[in-house]
Amino acid sequence: MRGIVNYIKDDEFRINITKNKANIVNYIELFSMSENRISLSSSLGRIIIKGNSLTVKKLLNKEILIEGDILNIEIGDKDV
């Protein structure tokens, strides 16, 4: 039962990266999206994803799945 409660109340920020995909869980706010750059905020600061042909494949409350040619992910206090 404790495992189910922890799963439901999960609020830890995570980025899972696989080939040409980045799944971000528990982000705070999506700031901007373009084909070459996606910017959002998290508990760790600003997240900036740079690449080519970036598309949002899934956009849920606190979860986003980005696909494309991901070249760089910056985490921390950066200008949006």
Side-chain angles (χ1 to χ4, degrees), residues 66-78:
I66 299 163
E67 288 186 3
D69 183 18
I70 298 170
L71 302 175
N72 187 32
I73 298 176
E74 299 174 9
I75 301 173
D77 293 329
K78 302 282 183 186

Side-chain angles (χ1 to χ4, degrees), residues 2-3 7-8 10-11 14-16 20-21 24-25 27 29-30 36 43 49-50 54 66 69-70 73 75 77 79-80:
R2 178 183 245 183
Y7 177 79
I8 292 170
D10 179 25
D11 61 356
R14 288 187 309 280
I15 298 179
N16 299 310
N20 297 324
K21 294 181 185 179
I24 302 171
V25 179
Y27 71 94
E29 182 179 357
L30 177 63
N36 300 315
S43 60
I49 300 162
K50 296 178 182 177
L54 299 177
I66 299 163
D69 183 18
I70 298 170
I73 298 176
I75 301 173
D77 293 329
D79 294 331
V80 177

